[in-house]
Amino acid sequence: MTPTLPTPRESRAVLAALMAGVMILFSLWVVRPFLPATIWAMTIGITTWPLLLRIQKLLWGSRALAVSCTTLIALLVFVLPFWLAMTTLMTHSTELMRFGETAMKFRVPAEPHWLANLPLIGPKSITLWQKIENARLPQLLDNMVPDTGQIIRWVLNYLGGFSMLALQFLLTLVIMAALHAKGEAATRLVLEFGYALAEQRGKDMILLAGRTIRGVAIGVTVTALVETAVGGAGMEITGMPWASVLTAITFIACLLQAGPGVTLIPAVIWMFFFKDMLSAIVLLVITVLTIVIDNVLRPYLIRKQADVPLILIMLGVIGGLSAFGLVGIFVGPVILSVTYTLVKSWLAEARTAAPQTPA
C-alpha cells in the first residue's frame, strides 16, 4: 500500500506554520532583554484584572483612573517590597559578608547554670547540650556550605545593581499599565490564539492559566508580605540587631517557599543565648505564629483560584528561579500548575469516554 502524498494546500499550511514558529522564536530573541519585565507585568496584570474592573465601576467607568489606581496598588504590593528587600541586601552587602564569616566561626557556649535546676528536664537538657557542644556543628557547616561571600557576590552580580533593578521595575509598571488599558483586546487575542490551537480546549487552557497565575501570585506574594510584616515587627519589638536586613531576607525566603523560620528560628536561638528571656519568649511566640500563617494562609489563597498541590508550587518556585531568574518565582509554579491541571482533566475525560469493563 503506497502512502498518500500531502496535497499542495497541506504542504503550504505546514510550511506557513513552520515559518510562523520560526518568526515567533526570532521575535522572542529580539525582545529577550524585556522578557522578565513583560512576564512579570503580565502576571501582575492578570492578578489585578478583577480589581481593575471593580475600581472602574466605582470611578464612574473611567478606565484611565482605574489603571492609575491599580498601578499604584501593584507598586505598593508587588514592586515596592521587592525593591526594598533587594536594595537593603545591596546596601548591607559588606556587612552581610562579614556576618556570614562570623556566623561560621560561632561556637556553642557552655550550658547555662539555670538549665540544671529545671525540674524533670534539667539533667536530660544538660546531656543534650553537651552533645551539641561536642558535635562541632559550625565546623561541619563550614565544610558543607559554600563561602558566604561568594553567595552574596553572586546575588549582587545577578541583580546587576540599582540602576538595572530600577529599570526592570519601571518597565514592569509601564507594560502592566498598557495591558490594563487595552485588557479586553489582549484577552480576546489570547483566547482566539488558544481557540486556533485546540478549539474550545485551547480556550479552556487559557482561562485555566489565568486562574492559576492569579492564585499563585496572590498566594505566594500576599503570604510572604503577611509573614514578613509579622516577623519583622516581632524582631523590631524585641530589639533584634539588624532587624531590617533580617526582614528583607525573610521576605526573599518566603517568596522562595523556604518559610519564615529560615531567619526567625536562628533569631530566637540568638535571643535565648545573648538577650533576656522575655524577649526570646516573645519572639518565639511570633515565630510560631508566622509559621502557622505560612501553612494556613498560602494554601487557602492558592486553592481559592486553582486546586493545585503545594509541592508543585514549591518545585515550581525553585525550578523557575533557576531557569528564568527572579521572575521564575511566578512563572515556574504557573507552568507546573497548568500542566498538572490539564493532564488531570485529560485523564478524567479519557476515563469517562472509555467503555466500562466488568471487574
Side-chain angles (χ1 to χ4, degrees):
M1 183 176 179
T2 58
T4 57
L5 296 175
T7 63
R9 184 177 180 180
E10 293 174 343
S11 300
R12 284 195 299 270
V14 171
L15 289 176
L18 289 175
M19 182 60 66
V22 171
M23 295 304 295
I24 290 174
L25 289 177
F26 277 120
S27 300
L28 291 176
W29 181 263
V30 171
V31 300
R32 184 168 53 94
F34 307 99
L35 277 181
T38 303
I39 295 173
W40 202 6
M42 291 174 61
T43 301
I44 300 175
I46 292 172
T47 304
T48 56
W49 178 253
L51 179 63
L52 172 75
L53 298 181
R54 293 194 188 99
I55 293 176
Q56 183 175 345
K57 289 181 180 179
L58 295 175
L59 296 177
W60 312 283
S62 174
R63 175 57 61 89
L65 291 176
V67 169
S68 301
C69 291
T70 52
T71 304
L72 180 60
I73 293 172
L75 174 65
L76 295 176
V77 176
F78 292 97
V79 175
L80 189 60
F82 277 96
W83 171 260
L84 292 176
M86 295 304 179
T87 52
T88 301
L89 294 179
M90 289 179 183
T91 305
H92 297 86
S93 59
T94 306
E95 292 90 339
L96 285 173
M97 293 181 194
R98 194 179 303 119
F99 176 77
E101 295 172 357
T102 305
M104 286 303 176
K105 296 176 183 177
F106 172 76
R107 300 293 179 267
V108 178
E111 65 275 5
H113 298 293
W114 54 264
L115 190 61
N117 299 325
L118 292 176
L120 299 177
I121 63 172
K124 293 183 179 179
S125 301
I126 290 291
T127 304
L128 179 61
W129 191 296
Q130 290 174 350
K131 287 182 179 179
I132 295 174
E133 185 180 357
N134 297 327
R136 299 178 181 268
L137 294 179
Q139 294 90 321
L140 293 175
L141 287 175
D142 195 14
N143 295 327
M144 295 169 59
V145 178
D147 180 36
T148 309
Q150 291 181 357
I151 296 175
I152 295 174
R153 279 191 291 271
W154 177 83
V155 172
L156 295 177
N157 290 333
Y158 171 76
L159 293 175
F162 288 98
S163 58
M164 184 58 65
L165 192 63
L167 179 61
Q168 290 288 345
F169 286 148
L170 179 62
L171 281 174
T172 299
L173 292 176
V174 170
I175 296 172
M176 191 211 74
L179 288 175
H180 272 179
K182 302 293 183 182
E184 289 81 3
T187 303
R188 195 180 312 113
L189 177 64
V190 174
L191 289 176
E192 289 175 355
F193 180 75
Y195 188 83
L197 286 178
E199 298 185 347
Q200 187 59 40
R201 179 176 291 278
K203 293 182 69 174
D204 294 339
M205 180 178 66
I206 298 297
L207 295 174
L208 171 63
R211 290 196 302 270
T212 307
I213 289 172
R214 191 174 297 122
V216 170
I218 293 175
V220 171
T221 307
V222 172
T223 306
L225 287 173
V226 174
E227 292 169 344
T228 304
V230 174
M235 287 187 283
E236 286 286 351
I237 291 171
T238 55
M240 183 68 192
W242 287 27
S244 61
V245 178
L246 291 175
T247 302
I249 297 175
T250 302
F251 179 70
I252 300 299
C254 292
L255 285 179
L256 299 180
Q257 307 303 294
V262 171
T263 53
L264 290 177
I265 292 176
V268 170
I269 296 173
W270 186 91
M271 283 283 187
F272 274 108
F273 277 127
F274 303 106
K275 218 169 183 295
D276 58 286
M277 183 67 64
L278 179 61
S279 299
I281 293 175
V282 170
L283 188 59
L284 176 61
V285 173
I286 293 174
T287 300
V288 173
L289 177 62
T290 55
I291 293 175
V292 170
I293 291 173
D294 183 66
N295 291 307
V296 174
L297 182 60
R298 183 179 55 191
Y300 171 75
L301 291 176
I302 292 176
R303 287 175 180 166
K304 200 174 179 181
Q305 298 289 336
D307 188 10
V308 178
L310 290 180
I311 186 65
L312 282 183
I313 305 299
M314 297 178 64
L315 293 176
V317 167
I318 298 171
L321 185 69
S322 174
F324 303 103
L326 188 62
V327 75
I329 293 174
F330 301 108
V331 177
V334 167
I335 293 175
L336 291 185
S337 302
V338 171
T339 304
Y340 165 80
T341 310
L342 286 176
V343 171
K344 185 178 176 182
S345 174
W346 284 331
L347 291 177
E349 288 186 6
R351 284 194 297 269
T352 304
Q356 299 293 328
T357 56

Coordinates of all heavy atoms in Angstrom, one line a residue, residues 220-270:
V220 N 1.4 33.3 46.9 CA 2.8 33.5 47.2 C 3.2 34.8 47.8 O 3.8 35.0 48.8 CB 3.7 33.1 46.0 CG1 5.2 33.4 46.3 CG2 3.5 31.6 45.7
T221 N 2.7 35.9 47.0 CA 3.1 37.3 47.4 C 2.4 37.7 48.7 O 3.1 38.3 49.6 CB 2.8 38.2 46.2 OG1 3.4 37.7 45.0 CG2 3.3 39.6 46.5
V222 N 1.1 37.6 48.8 CA 0.4 38.1 49.9 C 0.8 37.3 51.2 O 1.1 37.9 52.2 CB -1.1 37.9 49.7 CG1 -1.9 38.3 51.0 CG2 -1.6 38.8 48.6
T223 N 1.0 36.0 51.1 CA 1.5 35.3 52.2 C 2.9 35.7 52.7 O 3.2 35.9 53.9 CB 1.5 33.8 51.9 OG1 0.3 33.3 51.5 CG2 1.9 33.0 53.2
A224 N 3.8 36.0 51.7 CA 5.1 36.5 52.0 C 5.1 37.8 52.7 O 5.8 38.1 53.6 CB 6.0 36.5 50.8
L225 N 4.2 38.7 52.2 CA 4.1 40.0 52.8 C 3.6 40.0 54.2 O 4.1 40.6 55.1 CB 3.1 40.9 52.0 CG 3.7 41.4 50.6 CD1 2.6 42.1 49.8 CD2 4.8 42.4 50.8
V226 N 2.5 39.1 54.5 CA 2.0 39.0 55.8 C 3.0 38.4 56.8 O 3.2 38.9 57.9 CB 0.7 38.1 55.8 CG1 0.2 37.9 57.2 CG2 -0.4 38.8 55.0
E227 N 3.7 37.3 56.3 CA 4.7 36.7 57.2 C 5.8 37.7 57.5 O 6.3 37.8 58.6 CB 5.3 35.5 56.5 CG 4.3 34.3 56.4 CD 4.8 33.2 55.5 OE1 5.8 33.5 54.7 OE2 4.3 32.1 55.5
T228 N 6.3 38.4 56.5 CA 7.4 39.3 56.7 C 7.0 40.5 57.6 O 7.8 40.9 58.5 CB 7.8 39.9 55.3 OG1 8.2 38.8 54.4 CG2 9.0 40.8 55.5
A229 N 5.7 41.0 57.5 CA 5.3 42.0 58.4 C 5.2 41.6 59.8 O 5.7 42.3 60.7 CB 3.9 42.5 57.9
V230 N 4.7 40.4 60.0 CA 4.6 39.8 61.4 C 6.0 39.6 62.0 O 6.3 40.0 63.1 CB 3.7 38.6 61.4 CG1 3.7 38.0 62.8 CG2 2.3 38.9 61.0
G231 N 6.8 38.8 61.2 CA 8.1 38.5 61.7 C 9.0 39.7 61.9 O 9.7 39.8 62.8
G232 N 9.0 40.7 60.9 CA 9.7 41.9 61.0 C 9.3 42.8 62.2 O 10.2 43.3 63.0
A233 N 8.0 42.8 62.5 CA 7.5 43.6 63.6 C 8.0 42.9 64.9 O 8.4 43.6 65.9 CB 6.0 43.7 63.6
G234 N 8.0 41.6 64.9 CA 8.5 40.9 66.1 C 9.9 41.1 66.4 O 10.3 41.3 67.5
M235 N 10.8 41.1 65.3 CA 12.2 41.4 65.5 C 12.4 42.8 66.0 O 13.3 43.1 66.8 CB 13.0 41.1 64.2 CG 13.1 39.6 64.0 SD 14.1 39.1 62.6 CE 13.0 39.5 61.2
E236 N 11.6 43.8 65.4 CA 11.8 45.2 65.9 C 11.4 45.4 67.3 O 12.0 46.1 68.1 CB 11.0 46.1 65.0 CG 11.5 46.3 63.6 CD 12.7 47.3 63.6 OE1 13.0 47.9 64.6 OE2 13.4 47.4 62.6
I237 N 10.3 44.7 67.7 CA 9.8 44.9 69.1 C 10.7 44.3 70.1 O 11.0 44.9 71.2 CB 8.4 44.2 69.2 CG1 7.3 45.0 68.4 CG2 7.9 44.1 70.7 CD1 6.0 44.3 68.3
T238 N 11.3 43.2 69.8 CA 12.2 42.5 70.7 C 13.6 43.0 70.7 O 14.5 42.6 71.4 CB 12.2 41.0 70.5 OG1 12.6 40.7 69.1 CG2 10.8 40.4 70.8
G239 N 13.9 44.0 69.8 CA 15.2 44.6 69.7 C 16.3 43.7 69.1 O 17.5 43.8 69.5
M240 N 15.9 42.9 68.1 CA 16.9 42.1 67.4 C 17.8 43.0 66.5 O 17.4 43.8 65.8 CB 16.1 41.1 66.5 CG 17.0 40.1 65.7 SD 17.7 39.0 66.9 CE 19.0 38.2 65.8
P241 N 19.1 42.8 66.6 CA 20.0 43.5 65.8 C 19.8 43.2 64.3 O 19.4 42.1 64.0 CB 21.4 43.1 66.3 CG 21.2 42.5 67.6 CD 19.8 41.9 67.6
W242 N 20.1 44.2 63.5 CA 19.9 44.0 62.0 C 18.5 43.6 61.6 O 18.3 42.8 60.8 CB 20.9 43.0 61.5 CG 22.3 43.5 61.5 CD1 22.9 44.5 62.3 CD2 23.4 43.1 60.6 NE1 24.2 44.7 61.9 CE2 24.5 43.8 60.9 CE3 23.5 42.1 59.6 CZ2 25.7 43.7 60.3 CZ3 24.7 42.0 58.9 CH2 25.8 42.7 59.3
A243 N 17.5 44.2 62.3 CA 16.2 43.7 62.0 C 15.7 44.0 60.6 O 15.0 43.2 60.0 CB 15.2 44.4 63.0
S244 N 16.1 45.2 60.0 CA 15.7 45.5 58.7 C 16.3 44.5 57.7 O 15.7 44.1 56.7 CB 16.2 46.9 58.3 OG 17.6 47.1 58.4
V245 N 17.6 44.2 57.8 CA 18.2 43.2 56.9 C 17.6 41.8 57.1 O 17.3 41.1 56.1 CB 19.8 43.1 57.2 CG1 20.4 42.1 56.3 CG2 20.4 44.5 57.0
L246 N 17.4 41.4 58.3 CA 16.7 40.1 58.5 C 15.3 40.1 58.0 O 14.8 39.0 57.5 CB 16.7 39.8 60.0 CG 18.1 39.5 60.6 CD1 18.0 39.3 62.1 CD2 18.7 38.2 60.0
T247 N 14.6 41.2 58.0 CA 13.3 41.3 57.4 C 13.3 41.1 55.9 O 12.5 40.4 55.3 CB 12.6 42.6 57.8 OG1 12.5 42.8 59.2 CG2 11.2 42.7 57.3
A248 N 14.3 41.8 55.3 CA 14.5 41.6 53.8 C 14.8 40.2 53.5 O 14.2 39.6 52.5 CB 15.6 42.5 53.3
I249 N 15.7 39.5 54.2 CA 16.0 38.1 54.0 C 14.8 37.2 54.2 O 14.5 36.3 53.5 CB 17.2 37.7 54.9 CG1 18.4 38.5 54.5 CG2 17.4 36.2 54.7 CD1 19.6 38.2 55.4
T250 N 13.9 37.6 55.2 CA 12.7 36.8 55.5 C 11.8 36.9 54.3 O 11.2 35.9 53.9 CB 12.0 37.3 56.7 OG1 12.9 37.3 57.8 CG2 10.8 36.5 57.0
F251 N 11.6 38.1 53.7 CA 10.7 38.2 52.5 C 11.2 37.4 51.4 O 10.4 36.7 50.7 CB 10.7 39.7 52.2 CG 9.8 40.0 51.0 CD1 8.4 39.9 51.1 CD2 10.3 40.4 49.8 CE1 7.6 40.1 50.0 CE2 9.5 40.6 48.7 CZ 8.1 40.5 48.8
I252 N 12.5 37.4 51.1 CA 13.0 36.6 50.0 C 12.9 35.2 50.3 O 12.5 34.4 49.4 CB 14.5 37.0 49.7 CG1 14.7 38.5 49.4 CG2 15.1 36.1 48.6 CD1 14.0 38.9 48.1
A253 N 13.1 34.7 51.5 CA 13.0 33.3 51.9 C 11.5 32.9 51.7 O 11.3 31.7 51.3 CB 13.5 33.1 53.3
C254 N 10.6 33.7 52.1 CA 9.2 33.4 52.0 C 8.8 33.2 50.5 O 8.0 32.4 50.1 CB 8.3 34.4 52.7 SG 8.5 34.4 54.5
L255 N 9.3 34.1 49.7 CA 9.0 34.0 48.2 C 9.6 32.7 47.6 O 9.0 32.1 46.8 CB 9.6 35.2 47.5 CG 8.8 36.6 47.6 CD1 9.6 37.6 46.8 CD2 7.4 36.4 47.1
L256 N 10.7 32.3 48.1 CA 11.3 31.1 47.6 C 10.8 29.9 48.3 O 11.3 28.8 48.1 CB 12.9 31.2 47.9 CG 13.6 32.3 47.2 CD1 15.1 32.2 47.5 CD2 13.4 32.2 45.7
Q257 N 9.7 30.0 49.1 CA 9.0 28.9 49.8 C 9.8 28.2 50.8 O 9.6 27.1 51.2 CB 8.5 27.9 48.7 CG 7.7 28.5 47.6 CD 6.5 29.2 48.1 OE1 5.6 28.6 48.7 NE2 6.5 30.5 47.9
A258 N 10.9 28.9 51.3 CA 11.7 28.4 52.4 C 11.1 28.6 53.7 O 11.3 27.9 54.7 CB 13.1 28.9 52.3
G259 N 10.2 29.6 53.8 CA 9.5 29.9 55.0 C 10.2 30.9 55.9 O 11.4 31.1 55.8
P260 N 9.4 31.5 56.8 CA 10.0 32.5 57.7 C 10.9 31.9 58.8 O 11.7 32.7 59.4 CB 8.8 33.1 58.4 CG 7.7 32.0 58.4 CD 8.0 31.3 57.1
G261 N 10.9 30.6 59.0 CA 11.8 30.0 60.0 C 13.2 30.1 59.7 O 14.1 30.0 60.5
V262 N 13.6 30.4 58.4 CA 15.0 30.5 58.0 C 15.7 31.6 58.8 O 16.9 31.4 59.1 CB 15.0 30.8 56.5 CG1 16.5 31.1 56.0 CG2 14.5 29.6 55.7
T263 N 15.0 32.7 59.0 CA 15.6 33.8 59.8 C 15.1 33.8 61.2 O 15.9 34.2 62.1 CB 15.4 35.1 59.1 OG1 13.9 35.3 58.9 CG2 16.1 35.2 57.8
L264 N 13.8 33.5 61.4 CA 13.3 33.7 62.8 C 13.8 32.7 63.8 O 14.0 33.0 65.0 CB 11.7 33.7 62.7 CG 11.1 34.9 62.0 CD1 9.6 34.7 61.9 CD2 11.4 36.2 62.7
I265 N 13.9 31.4 63.4 CA 14.4 30.4 64.3 C 15.8 30.7 64.8 O 16.1 30.7 66.0 CB 14.3 29.0 63.7 CG1 12.8 28.6 63.5 CG2 15.0 28.0 64.5 CD1 12.6 27.3 62.8
P266 N 16.8 31.0 63.9 CA 18.1 31.5 64.4 C 18.0 32.7 65.3 O 18.8 32.8 66.2 CB 18.9 31.7 63.1 CG 18.3 30.9 62.1 CD 16.8 30.9 62.4
A267 N 17.1 33.6 64.9 CA 17.0 34.8 65.8 C 16.5 34.5 67.2 O 17.0 35.1 68.2 CB 16.0 35.8 65.1
V268 N 15.6 33.5 67.3 CA 15.1 33.1 68.6 C 16.2 32.5 69.4 O 16.4 32.7 70.6 CB 13.9 32.1 68.4 CG1 13.6 31.5 69.8 CG2 12.7 32.8 67.9
I269 N 17.0 31.6 68.7 CA 18.1 31.0 69.4 C 19.1 32.0 69.9 O 19.7 32.0 71.0 CB 18.8 30.0 68.5 CG1 17.9 28.8 68.1 CG2 20.1 29.4 69.1 CD1 18.4 27.9 67.1
W270 N 19.4 33.0 69.0 CA 20.3 34.1 69.5 C 19.8 34.9 70.7 O 20.5 35.2 71.6 CB 20.5 35.1 68.3 CG 21.5 36.1 68.5 CD1 22.9 36.1 68.3 CD2 21.3 37.4 69.2 NE1 23.5 37.2 68.7 CE2 22.5 38.1 69.2 CE3 20.2 38.1 69.6 CZ2 22.7 39.4 69.7 CZ3 20.3 39.3 70.2 CH2 21.5 40.0 70.2

